[in-house]
Amino acid sequence: EIVLTQSPGTLSLSPGERATLSCRASQSVSNTYLAWYQQKPGQAPRLLIFGESTDFRRATGIPDRFSGGGSGTDFTLTISRLEPEDIGVYYCQQYGRSPWTFGQGTKVEIQ
Amino acid sequence: EVHLVQSGAEVKKPGESLKISCKGSGYRFTSQWIGWVRQMPGKGLEWMGIIYPYDSDAKYNPSFQGQVTISADKSISTVYLQWSSLKASDTAMYFCARQRDGYLVVFDLWGQGTLVTVSS
């Protein structure tokens, strides 16, 4: 199965700063089939970004400060200007090869 | 409004059986796959399996094959996750999640989660 490794484990930034989260795959993820989810404490995950072919798209209702990038084995989620409500754990997920797998998560904190 | 509503928290003993549910509303339930995702205490997300409610075609993560059964009753827009003999290691939060319309296996709608606690 494809193992996804996320870094850093925790990201602590101030409001307005740029956040860059990394997701590295153990094998190439075909067609950029990689998604990002946000999970706030005590809540279910929420889909933020998903990829298809070479493009990444935001899910319905997701603000444009969230963007996805990357290809092959290296992917990033960027939050251009961090807002206090962006705190939570962010997971990447690949759907290029079954079994679909998630990364272990990156926790985003506000300083 | 579109929802997935899961059954309530469960406390069980090792060896007992359990079936939890996930009911969809506000969309055409039979036309989109529903998956189950496990989250052990303080840990990340694990995809367990997925089912197509229209014909109950189910696919499993090999790590969970034979450990759980996923089923559906399309007449009441509900999918199920069941265990025949629980273990302490099954203690976790379980989420159902709808696959986005189309072939991309991304989950765009999630249930609120069902906490399963297995303890003697």
Side-chain angles (χ1 to χ4, degrees):
Chain A
E1 71 178 43
I2 295 178
V3 176
L4 301 178
T5 302
Q6 294 186 239
S7 61
T10 302
L11 196 54
S12 187
L13 295 168
S14 299
E17 287 195 294
R18 184 184 190 89
T20 302
L21 287 66
S22 173
C23 176
R24 177 162 287 178
S26 60
Q27 307 169 41
S28 183
V29 177
S30 58
N31 295 307
T32 322
Y33 285 163
L34 189 113
W36 290 91
Y37 299 84
Q38 175 196 61
Q39 186 177 32
K40 296 186 177 184
Q43 296 186 17
R46 176 175 69 148
L47 177 65
L48 298 174
I49 299 280
F50 61 96
E52 182 178 12
S53 298
T54 58
D55 295 326
F56 285 92
R57 298 162 60 182
R58 282 183 295 277
T60 303
I62 301 304
D64 61 6
R65 65 177 183 275
F66 291 92
S67 62
S71 64
T73 60
D74 290 295
F75 299 90
T76 56
L77 173 71
T78 301
I79 310 173
S80 59
R81 296 171 307 280
L82 202 61
E83 300 278 348
E85 62 263 30
D86 297 335
I87 60 166
V89 180
Y90 290 76
Y91 295 97
C92 55
Q93 177 226 333
Q94 68 79 23
Y95 43 100
R97 182 181 299 176
S98 184
W100 327 124
T101 51
F102 293 86
Q104 84 282 13
T106 289
K107 185 177 183 179
V108 172
E109 299 177 335
I110 300 291
Q111 288 181 341
Chain B
E1 198 171 346
V2 181
H3 287 296
L4 290 175
V5 178
Q6 298 185 228
S7 50
E10 302 274 1
V11 179
K12 291 289 190 179
K13 291 181 168 33
E16 291 186 333
S17 62
L18 176 64
K19 192 173 190 177
I20 63 174
S21 67
C22 168
K23 183 175 176 61
S25 62
Y27 74 99
R28 191 174 168 190
F29 185 77
T30 53
S31 67
Q32 291 179 251
W33 293 78
I34 298 283
W36 286 97
V37 175
R38 182 175 78 175
Q39 187 167 39
M40 299 178 78
K43 301 298 184 182
L45 306 170
E46 300 171 273
W47 173 70
M48 302 175 71
I50 200 164
I51 190 164
Y52 192 61
Y54 177 78
D55 59 7
S56 292
D57 182 22
K59 305 177 191 302
Y60 294 87
N61 181 331
S63 296
F64 292 91
Q65 181 93 44
Q67 309 304 308
V68 297
T69 301
I70 297 172
S71 59
D73 185 341
K74 63 183 179 183
S75 69
I76 54 171
S77 301
T78 300
V79 299
Y80 302 96
L81 177 66
Q82 69 180 89
W83 296 259
S84 59
S85 180
L86 287 159
K87 301 185 280 287
S89 57
D90 292 318
T91 294
M93 180 72 81
Y94 293 88
F95 294 100
C96 63
R98 183 187 72 176
Q99 179 179 323
R100 187 178 177 274
D101 195 21
Y103 62 92
L104 301 181
V105 189
V106 293
F107 300 107
D108 68 347
L109 178 69
W110 292 68
Q112 83 278 18
T114 296
L115 180 62
V116 174
T117 303
V118 184
S119 174
S120 54

